[in-house]
Amino acid sequence: MHVHVKRAMSLSGAGLMPTQALADWTINMPPGVTGTSNEIFNLHMTIFWICVVIGIVVFGVMFWSIFAHRKSRGHKPAHFHEHTFVEILWTIVPLIILVVMAIPATATLIDMYDTAKSDINIKVTGYQWKWRYDYVDEKFGYFSNLSTPQEQIDNLAPKGEHYLREVDQPLVVPVGKKIRLLLTANDVIHSWWVPEFGLKKDAIPGFVNEAWTRVDKPGIYRGQCTELCGQGHAFMPVVVKAVPEADYNTWVAEQKAAAEKERELTSKDWTMDELMARGKKKYETTCAACHQVDGGGMPPTFPALNGSKVATGPVDGHLHRVVYGVQGTAMQAFGKQLSEVDIAAIVTYERNAWGNKTGDMVTPKQVLDYKKQSSK
Amino acid sequence: MSAVIDTHTEDHHHGPAKGIMRWILTTNHKDIGTMYLVFSFTMFLLGGTMAMVIRAELFQPGLQLVVPAFFNQMTTMHGLIMVFGAVMPAFVGLANWMIPMMVGAPDMALPRMNNWSFWLLPAAFTMLLSTLFMKGGAPNFGWTFYAPLSTTYGPPSTTYFIFAIHMMGISSIMGAINVIATILNLRAPGMTLMKMPLFVWTWLITAFLLIAVMPVLAGVVTMMLMDINFGTSFFNAAGGGDPVMFQHVFWFFGHPEVYIMILPAFGAVSHIIPAFARKRLFGYASMVYAVGAIAMLSFVVWAHHMFTVGIPVAGELFFMYATMLIAVPTGVKVFNWVATMFRGSMTFEAPMLFAVAFVILFTIGGFSGLMLAIAPADFQYQDTYFVVAHFHYVLVPGAIFGIFASAYFWLPKWTGHMYDETLAKTHFWLSFIGMNLAFFPMHFLGLAGMPRRIPDYALQFADFNMISSIGAFMFGATQLLFLFIVIKCVRGGEKAPAKPWEGAEGLEWTLPSPPPYHSFTTPPEVK
């Protein structure tokens, strides 16, 4: 019911959205900000112009014939056919053009595959439907979720400048360093792409793919998943923030400290208000895409949480769903994706938000104990 | 498109049965050809309707009409229906109608198998379409159904999809066996292989491709079936399987499949252009060798669909070079068509219009194909709208314009009436404009960074998507005009002579229009 109302509203509102002002007429590939992307751009343009020239010659002859050699102009058909020299010529000449194209393409490809001597290693993991970045050498990592509000997608709010290409936490890299990415996936195949780096590589479960990049210019670069990975495929952008090395080092230090603090949070004494506040935030980034901000879900695929038996029943049952997921449905196992603190906050929030007034407070310690006991 | 009108069956000792049983039990190549063509057009409209849903959702950014889960079902079903339901059966329909008449035979070599291979198709597609109404919806993993999205993460209806694919595969293989048996055994005396019409040649090669790759498709879906229902782990990494192997096996089928959908169109166009240029095809032998070369190469290029999956650099180079080589025989074909038109005496009736558009637009699709073959550049193009633009350029003005050209070329022969030329030209121009408006901007979208198979997109893609949708609606609506033209032509119109086109050549034009129920009862002599 709710979805229908939303959809009707979005239909009536569609014509009013000020999207046109932001659109543009880009017709070509960006040259990009890495050596690789520039090489690819040059290859692309070379091949494009070769095709244009061939096209002009072939279509030129054809259009001339269409114009001049028509019956209505009284043109009598010639009788020639088969000409060995011409036929050999139009086999050999394209072959030579192909060889000319293949040489720079080969050089670029070999360069793209050379991942040796990298300065920084980052593990990129595709999840339905978000990316996780792990700084392997620094021992911290985080998820990068779409941060466009659902109202914008449903046409209930004006769309922002970076609609569908914005995340809560971008990947941060230093400029001028060779960054080696190790790509894999948790569930289905994803593909990590930033057009301005000229870097696209599939993230495949059970495989670790390698790719590298060296960003020359500080800035924020946007791309998105390019391998169909289910219904959230359009909603898992890639955002990379390239910063000067000094800024990067400061950021890494902050992240390491924050990761340490996060680990300490598990043993902290939490109040209901703190858990609810954190839970609301985490719920909206992690759960709301399916279960909706108002807990109404999108039945039958995504059940409502508001008033559901799980969210108002025994705490252990609720924890089990969140930690281990539900086999054969879109409900993932969040036990390894989220910290104990976040699971505690989300479960507490779900049991007390909307019409669910159970009054239960689930602490991080309880989650930890539940995990230990249930994994035995 | 009533295949054979009852009035001329009086000349023969027996004719078709009456009523519905005629169509259910028929073993006649023309009746079966007609059923294939009608089935194909029905599927074309159905798959087209799904394309309209896709383009309507993409008309503006944001989600307006459908939820992403349903959008994915639409893209998947659109692809499957167009490939297996519209294009392939249309060519089998043309083969059924034309091959016996072109080689001077009374019928196809294996008429009962012919009946069965057709009737499997409605069963297969009923099963495939029924998945739309099942719990969890229809297949939603793209027409390429990559594992593990289609296995571990697939909807419950996937098993029905697998069974449907099996039936389509059996149907195609039987159709191909029939074509080969007819061509190799029933040619008129004097018709050596190198005297065969090009449509017959291209179909002979297509039939061998079908026999080679449809079992591979059957194999890959069977592995999926085992993974889903019997606990194997062919494609499940957690059980020691390999998701990339799925893609290797799929594309070993998938790439020759691309040529299965275009080679018969090459053949048909090689009849139409000489007919309307009133000049012999420039290089018959080199056309035959070019088709053969394309077919051979199609088996060693499959991994160019997988440049980003992380195959070793040596593999990338091999598949890049092999793919680029295909440009050589394809170029030979295009040059031949142009050389045939050069200094001819051309007129531009509907078949010629579609054939000329075929050559121009297929070549544009060939250019983008060449760009995609360059592996490093492909890292930017892969899975974007540039790819969508590329394969729609080779399939819509390629395969489908080829089918329209053939239909207009042979309609007078099939029905005994001339079609309405003004309406047919209108059909052409609206299709031509609509199709370019729909698909040309997709090149720009892809280069600017829009991935394929997404229901919603960033704002910089808004304008070209809107143009593309308008073009798509125009192209879609225009196809109803084709239905009207064909019905009008079947029901009546100016009587068609045995050879309605001045420059047309071949045995089919020696038969009256419409041809007798058993095309050639005594084999003609070919000198």
Side-chain angles (χ1 to χ4, degrees):
Chain A
M1 173 65 201
H2 180 76
V3 182
H4 289 287
V5 175
K6 254 191 187 169
R7 217 173 295 159
M9 285 171 70
S10 69
L11 269 176
S12 56
L16 305 171
M17 290 301 156
T19 54
Q20 295 312 302
L22 292 160
D24 61 23
W25 297 94
T26 312
I27 59 168
N28 201 2
M29 185 189 283
V33 291
T34 64
T36 310
S37 72
N38 279 299
E39 280 177 51
I40 291 177
F41 179 78
N42 291 335
L43 268 177
H44 161 74
M45 291 315 290
T46 313
I47 297 152
F48 172 74
W49 286 116
I50 290 174
C51 288
V52 168
V53 171
I54 298 173
I56 288 173
V57 173
V58 174
F59 296 148
V61 174
M62 186 196 242
F63 287 132
W64 166 249
S65 302
I66 289 174
F67 169 73
H69 307 149
R70 42 203 305 159
K71 201 186 174 193
S72 57
R73 291 171 64 98
H75 194 271
K76 293 272 172 287
H79 290 287
F80 67 86
H81 70 94
E82 290 190 353
H83 189 291
T84 313
F85 176 73
V86 171
E87 290 179 79
I88 289 174
L89 194 71
W90 71 33
T91 309
I92 299 294
V93 172
L95 205 59
I96 294 168
I97 296 174
L98 290 176
V99 172
V100 171
M101 283 190 202
I103 292 167
T106 305
T108 306
L109 193 67
I110 288 171
D111 185 39
M112 284 168 83
Y113 264 74
D114 180 15
T115 53
K117 298 198 189 94
S118 58
D119 303 309
I120 294 167
N121 296 303
I122 301 172
K123 183 176 158 213
V124 177
T125 313
Y127 286 79
Q128 282 180 324
W129 293 280
K130 55 192 170 254
W131 295 100
R132 182 179 171 88
Y133 301 119
D134 284 292
Y135 289 72
V136 182
D137 313 320
E138 312 288 350
K139 302 208 170 31
F140 69 87
Y142 52 87
F143 281 96
S144 182
N145 295 288
L146 176 74
S147 63
T148 302
Q150 189 65 32
E151 296 84 60
Q152 291 189 17
I153 296 170
D154 291 332
N155 309 304
L156 301 170
K159 295 183 186 359
E161 189 190 348
H162 298 298
Y163 177 67
L164 298 187
R165 292 241 164 146
E166 51 199 349
V167 294
D168 52 357
Q169 272 184 293
L171 176 70
V172 179
V173 297
V175 292
K177 292 275 179 191
K178 185 164 184 174
I179 296 144
R180 174 165 160 263
L181 299 179
L182 301 156
L183 300 111
T184 186
N186 182 54
D187 32 53
V188 299
I189 302 176
H190 302 269
S191 189
W192 197 87
W193 183 34
V194 179
E196 290 186 299
F197 297 173
L199 194 168
K200 182 187 287 153
K201 203 89 180 188
D202 292 356
I204 304 171
F207 280 75
V208 179
N209 268 336
E210 279 183 294
W212 70 272
T213 189
R214 181 184 281 120
V215 188
D216 300 331
K217 216 172 103 205
I220 294 177
Y221 303 102
R222 296 166 201 275
Q224 64 189 95
C225 177
T226 40
E227 180 67 65
L228 178 63
C229 55
Q231 57 173 341
H233 171 48
F235 310 106
M236 50 183 295
V238 173
V239 180
V240 182
K241 196 172 157 192
V243 295
E245 200 186 348
D247 296 2
Y248 173 76
N249 290 336
T250 322
W251 178 82
V252 167
E254 281 169 19
Q255 292 299 310
K256 284 167 91 171
E260 188 51 40
K261 214 168 148 201
E262 194 71 14
R263 280 189 277 274
E264 284 166 11
L265 282 179
T266 314
S267 49
K268 167 181 164 352
D269 283 328
W270 286 81
T271 68
M272 185 78 175
D273 287 347
E274 284 170 337
L275 279 173
M276 283 298 280
R278 191 182 176 96
K280 183 170 186 334
K281 211 172 121 218
K282 290 288 164 184
Y283 175 85
E284 282 168 8
T285 51
T286 314
C287 320
C290 299
H291 293 294
Q292 305 296 303
V293 177
D294 61 7
M298 291 164 81
T301 320
F302 307 118
L305 298 181
N306 189 4
S308 88
K309 286 205 185 91
V310 175
T312 55
V315 173
D316 275 9
H318 193 171
L319 275 174
H320 191 270
R321 295 263 165 149
V322 178
V323 172
Y324 297 108
V326 182
Q327 198 72 39
T329 72
M331 181 64 193
Q332 305 173 24
F334 288 96
K336 286 197 177 121
Q337 298 185 27
L338 296 172
S339 67
E340 281 78 33
V341 177
D342 289 339
I343 292 177
I346 286 170
V347 170
T348 305
Y349 179 72
E350 287 174 352
R351 300 183 73 80
N352 295 287
W354 323 300
N356 298 351
K357 304 285 178 216
T358 58
D360 296 335
M361 184 173 113
V362 180
T363 62
K365 175 117 188 355
Q366 262 174 283
V367 177
L368 196 65
D369 291 346
Y370 175 79
K371 274 182 165 177
K372 275 187 191 153
Q373 164 231 321
S374 59
S375 61
K376 269 176 200 161
Chain B
M1 258 182 281
S2 156
V4 180
I5 291 135
D6 286 351
T7 48
H8 64 265
T9 58
E10 298 149 5
D11 314 337
H12 299 280
H13 57 284
H14 73 276
K18 297 280 177 246
I20 184 77
M21 291 317 277
R22 163 178 173 183
W23 300 102
I24 292 176
L25 300 178
T26 185
T27 53
N28 181 281
H29 75 100
K30 301 191 197 74
D31 285 355
I32 293 171
T34 302
M35 290 197 295
Y36 264 111
L37 291 172
V38 170
F39 176 81
S40 146
F41 192 69
T42 312
M43 287 297 131
F44 180 58
L45 291 185
L46 197 64
T49 309
M50 293 171 178
M52 297 300 107
V53 174
I54 295 168
R55 285 315 322 172
E57 178 55 56
L58 292 173
F59 189 70
Q60 281 191 312
L63 296 176
Q64 284 90 17
L65 299 171
V66 295
V67 292
F70 187 70
F71 182 90
N72 288 346
Q73 295 174 31
M74 287 292 104
T75 53
T76 306
M77 295 295 268
H78 165 73
L80 290 169
I81 288 174
M82 287 305 196
V83 169
F84 295 104
V87 175
M88 290 169 68
F91 283 126
V92 182
L94 292 174
N96 259 293
W97 254 103
M98 300 317 299
I99 288 176
M101 295 206 281
M102 284 179 163
V103 301
D107 205 308
M108 294 292 277
L110 307 160
R112 282 183 203 285
M113 193 164 89
N114 206 6
N115 174 291
W116 195 32
S117 72
F118 170 75
W119 280 110
L120 274 176
L121 281 183
F125 279 87
T126 306
M127 181 169 288
L128 182 65
L129 289 167
S130 71
T131 59
L132 278 167
F133 307 100
M134 289 178 187
K135 192 165 172 281
N140 54 12
F141 29 66
W143 87 275
T144 51
F145 50 98
Y146 280 8
L149 187 62
S150 61
T151 53
T152 319
Y153 294 82
S157 63
T158 309
T159 302
Y160 291 86
F161 151 83
I162 291 170
F163 197 25
I165 291 282
H166 270 307
M167 283 199 279
M168 294 169 205
I170 294 169
S171 163
S172 291
I173 291 171
M174 289 197 301
I177 290 173
N178 214 341
V179 166
I180 294 172
T182 307
I183 296 174
L184 295 186
N185 295 304
L186 299 187
R187 289 198 312 283
M191 184 180 276
T192 58
L193 284 178
M194 287 312 277
K195 278 187 187 164
M196 286 197 311
L198 264 169
F199 182 73
V200 177
W201 252 119
T202 52
W203 242 113
L204 180 65
I205 291 168
T206 304
F208 277 106
L209 288 182
L210 277 167
I211 289 179
V213 300
M214 292 314 279
V216 179
L217 176 68
V220 78
V221 293
T222 306
M223 287 190 260
M224 279 173 63
L225 184 79
M226 303 295 277
D227 271 12
I228 295 170
N229 296 305
F230 303 108
T232 57
S233 293
F234 288 108
F235 308 129
N236 177 10
D242 183 345
V244 176
M245 183 178 75
F246 173 91
Q247 298 182 26
H248 282 292
V249 184
F250 177 83
W251 285 114
F252 188 81
F253 146 79
H255 201 79
E257 168 69 19
V258 173
Y259 294 104
I260 288 166
M261 292 193 282
I262 199 66
L263 294 185
F266 282 177
V269 166
S270 304
H271 286 244
I272 294 166
I273 288 181
F276 292 92
R278 292 166 182 77
K279 184 163 159 279
R280 245 177 104 167
L281 187 68
F282 179 78
Y284 171 86
S286 64
M287 286 297 235
V288 172
Y289 299 140
V291 174
I294 292 173
M296 293 289 181
L297 283 172
S298 77
F299 286 106
V300 292
V301 296
W302 75 88
H304 69 214
H305 298 269
M306 307 161 52
F307 278 148
T308 62
V309 303
I311 42 179
V313 69
E316 300 255 326
L317 289 174
F318 171 79
F319 285 105
M320 173 169 84
Y321 300 149
T323 305
M324 290 169 79
L325 271 184
I326 292 188
V328 175
T330 312
V332 166
K333 298 202 73 78
V334 173
F335 299 143
N336 261 301
W337 288 318
V338 174
T340 306
M341 290 166 71
F342 188 67
R343 291 182 58 206
S345 174
M346 281 187 275
T347 52
F348 295 92
E349 288 88 345
M352 184 63 164
L353 286 176
F354 275 107
V356 172
F358 169 94
V359 176
I360 296 170
L361 300 176
F362 179 81
T363 305
I364 292 177
F367 285 147
S368 56
L370 187 56
M371 295 170 79
L372 284 156
I374 309 293
D378 183 74
F379 278 81
Q380 292 284 47
Y381 309 138
Q382 170 90 29
D383 267 318
T384 68
Y385 260 81
F386 192 77
V387 176
V388 178
H390 160 71
F391 69 72
H392 280 95
Y393 259 84
V394 290
L395 282 176
V396 178
I400 291 175
F401 276 21
I403 294 164
F404 283 142
S406 312
Y408 285 122
F409 190 52
W410 287 313
L411 257 180
K413 173 62 55 191
W414 298 339
T415 64
H417 306 128
M418 297 306 286
Y419 59 84
D420 186 327
E421 190 64 56
T422 316
L423 284 181
K425 281 183 173 160
T426 313
H427 172 226
F428 168 75
W429 283 110
L430 290 176
S431 296
F432 180 83
I433 295 166
M435 174 260 135
N436 280 294
L437 214 51
F439 299 119
F440 208 81
M442 289 183 182
H443 291 112
F444 305 146
L445 286 171
L447 293 176
M450 178 168 164
R452 63 193 284 209
R453 292 167 168 167
I454 54 173
D456 193 5
Y457 47 81
L459 299 181
Q460 67 264 37
F461 307 130
D463 293 329
F464 283 125
N465 267 299
M466 192 177 275
I467 293 174
S468 177
S469 290
I470 292 169
F473 298 146
M474 185 174 161
F475 181 80
T478 304
Q479 304 322 315
L480 297 173
L481 183 60
F482 177 70
L483 180 64
F484 176 76
I485 295 168
V486 172
I487 291 173
K488 192 170 170 221
C489 179
V490 170
R491 292 170 66 103
E494 191 194 326
K495 283 263 167 283
K499 192 175 113 171
W501 313 115
E502 191 188 340
E505 279 181 49
L507 289 177
E508 72 267 34
W509 307 110
T510 63
L511 290 170
S513 304
Y517 199 57
H518 298 291
S519 307
F520 284 95
T521 38
T522 41
E525 195 75 34
V526 178
K527 286 180 201 90

